[in-house]
Amino acid sequence: FGQFDRNTEFTGNGDLVRRVIDQHAVHVETDHGMRLVGILTLDHHLGIIAEVRPSSPKGGIVSKTDNDFERSAKRIHRFLRTDRRYDEAHLPAPFIIEFTGSPSSGKTTTITELDKFLRRHDFRVLRPQEGAEVIRHIPRTTPLYNIRTGLYALSHLIDFAHGHMYDVVIFDRAIFDTYAWMLYWKQKGLLAEDECARNQAFFLSRFWTDRITACFVMVCDPKEAMERELKIALSDKLGETSNPDTMRALAERYRTLHKDLSGDFSQLVLIDTTTVGEADMVKQVAATTLAMIEASITRRSAP
């Protein structure tokens, strides 16, 4: 499609300069759709291309020196503000809240209202899907099921703790929840003492527990929980975790969780909803959540 000679006129007709990548690199396109990437010298005042030097006989990618690469990398860094966007002192990580506890203790209702409150006050909030809604290929009759749901929550927690897409992330069951389930399976005789301890120690690693701002351990009397469970159920058929004996055992395990861990993990808050109305329950959790977030801000802001 011809050659560019020194001092070829840049008239806006014929061979057009479509896009200038920087002051040296140019993308040239002819009226016939042929393209050439080259190196040029452009006189902006006269509209004259002083020189076009193709990067290769076939066009292709511009050839750059090491200094050119360094200059490009620095320009990209300046644009992206990478000196600050990965600095938690400048752009803090999101607050992470976990809800755990026995069935029908009010977790879902509370999470929904807390989420609604925060979003109405212009916070960007994420509610990751609960592991039990995702992990359906493993039977709930084995410890492996709760290990897998715990790993599902853990992978999300680690990723969101190192990102800035959200202000608050609310988990319906995460890593503290797995601790309680290991107690449950040990009591059932399906986990040995040492297996239970190893699994619990892993999920309680400081690498992820330190990222949790608050964890609400919600429990309810088994009889009240069953009444709540069956009030809107489409069937009276009971599941593995929604029968009176299991609910009683789980409530006890969650109380044990709080008793065992609250001394080392100040994020844990026990809430018994047996005699508490929904409105009061939601207000109590919301007030505690906001207070714990503000306390976290104070700690993070400390020199």
Side-chain angles (χ1 to χ4, degrees), residues 62-75:
V62 174
S63 176
K64 288 194 173 189
T65 66
D66 289 344
N67 286 339
D68 291 329
F69 282 119
E70 292 294 330
R71 283 194 293 270
S72 292
K74 288 178 180 178
R75 281 195 295 272

Side-chain angles (χ1 to χ4, degrees), residues 45-64:
H45 298 290
L46 299 178
I48 299 297
I49 299 177
E51 180 182 9
V52 173
R53 175 167 52 83
S55 61
S56 69
K58 296 181 181 179
I61 298 175
V62 174
S63 176
K64 288 194 173 189

Side-chain angles (χ1 to χ4, degrees), residues 73-133:
K74 288 178 180 178
R75 281 195 295 272
I76 295 169
H77 274 294
R78 284 196 298 271
F79 176 78
L80 292 176
R81 301 301 300 274
T82 55
D83 59 327
R84 292 197 168 190
R85 70 187 296 165
Y86 304 124
D87 181 1
E88 287 192 16
H90 173 72
L91 191 61
F95 298 104
I96 295 177
I97 314 296
E98 177 183 350
F99 283 82
T100 184
S102 54
S104 299
S105 57
K107 295 186 307 300
T108 302
T109 298
T110 306
I111 290 171
T112 298
E113 293 305 315
L114 182 61
D115 173 44
K116 189 187 302 181
F117 167 81
L118 292 169
R119 287 187 294 109
R120 285 179 177 175
H121 285 76
D122 299 322
F123 293 104
R124 186 176 290 183
V125 185
L126 177 68
R127 292 174 58 181
Q129 190 172 10
E130 183 186 354
E133 298 299 320

Side-chain angles (χ1 to χ4, degrees), residues 250-288:
L250 287 174
E252 183 58 33
R253 295 289 77 76
Y254 285 108
R255 291 181 186 278
T256 301
L257 177 156
H258 183 264
K259 180 181 177 182
D260 289 349
L261 301 182
S262 58
D264 295 321
F265 299 95
S266 59
Q267 309 102 307
L268 292 171
V269 179
L270 180 68
I271 297 181
D272 189 334
T273 67
T274 303
T275 60
V276 180
E278 286 188 346
D280 289 337
M281 172 184 69
V282 170
K283 288 179 180 178
Q284 180 182 351
V285 171
T288 305

